[in-house]
């Protein structure tokens, strides 16, 4: 029972970390004064991308885990560290705001760009044998909610917390990567 609760809390923290990317970009996109209907569609699209990207990653990760064992575990921890550092680094870069609108093809580009990290994390979770259904539900729901929150706040705020939210997400992933590598150090 405690193991299941611990896994759920861990997955929710990871989902939150990944969703912060969508939240921070949503803050900027929300300044386009989107209608609520558009915000709803964008959130659902991002949520769906945060379901299928980690699902594909998990399937690949399970394959790697079966074939390469401990080596795959070390690679999974390193992937989390690299992903966390990349998120922190991109949050520190200034002046690279997106000018693409989240409609039509632009929405697909937006959804893919904020969901690519979830593929890598799915790969890691597949290596560690996480429960697939629990992962994709957590990732999809949290990403959808954080996207909606970012878009709605973006309508009100002028981007004052965007880079900090992405740095927070990167820090969480970095910490989990270090935790996963700790037994091998």
């Amino acid at each position: 029972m405690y193991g299941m609760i611990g896994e759920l809390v861990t997955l929710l923290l990871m989902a939150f970390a990944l969703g912060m990317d969508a939240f921070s970009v949503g803050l900027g996109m929300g300044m386009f004064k989107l209608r609520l209907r558009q915000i709803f569609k964008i959130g659902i699209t991002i949520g769906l991308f945060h379901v299928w990207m980690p699902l594909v990653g998990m399937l690949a990760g399970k394959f790697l885990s079966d074939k390469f064992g401990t080596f795959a575990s070390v690679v999974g921890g390193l992937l989390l560290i690299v992903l966390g550092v990349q998120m922190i680094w991109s949050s520190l870069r200034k002046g690279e705001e997106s000018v693409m609108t989240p409609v039509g093809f632009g929405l697909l580009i937006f959804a893919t760009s904020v969901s690519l990290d979830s593929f890598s994390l799915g790969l890691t979770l597949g290596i560690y044998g996480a429960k697939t259904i629990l992962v994709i539900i957590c990732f999809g729901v949290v990403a959808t909610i954080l996207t909606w929150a970012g878009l709605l706040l973006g309508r009100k705020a002028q981007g004052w917390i965007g880079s900090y939210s992405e740095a927070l997400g990167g820090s969480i992933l970095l910490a989990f990567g270090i935790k996963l590598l700790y037994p091998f150090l």
Side-chain angles (χ1 to χ4, degrees), residues 79-151:
L79 274 173
L80 279 180
I81 290 172
V82 168
L83 191 56
V85 168
Q86 185 272 330
M87 283 179 71
I88 293 167
W89 177 257
S90 70
S91 75
L92 298 175
R93 294 186 311 217
K94 302 289 183 213
E96 296 184 22
E97 298 299 320
S98 174
V99 295
M100 186 178 305
T101 59
V103 180
F105 186 69
L107 176 57
L108 294 177
I109 298 292
F110 172 50
T112 301
S113 69
V114 298
S115 301
L116 281 176
D117 297 347
S118 63
F119 173 80
S120 302
L121 188 54
L123 186 67
T124 302
L125 292 173
I127 289 170
Y128 284 98
K131 293 173 179 58
T132 305
I133 296 297
L134 192 59
V135 169
I136 62 175
I137 288 173
C138 286
F139 284 17
V141 169
V142 171
T144 300
I145 291 170
L146 286 175
T147 301
W148 286 337
L151 290 166

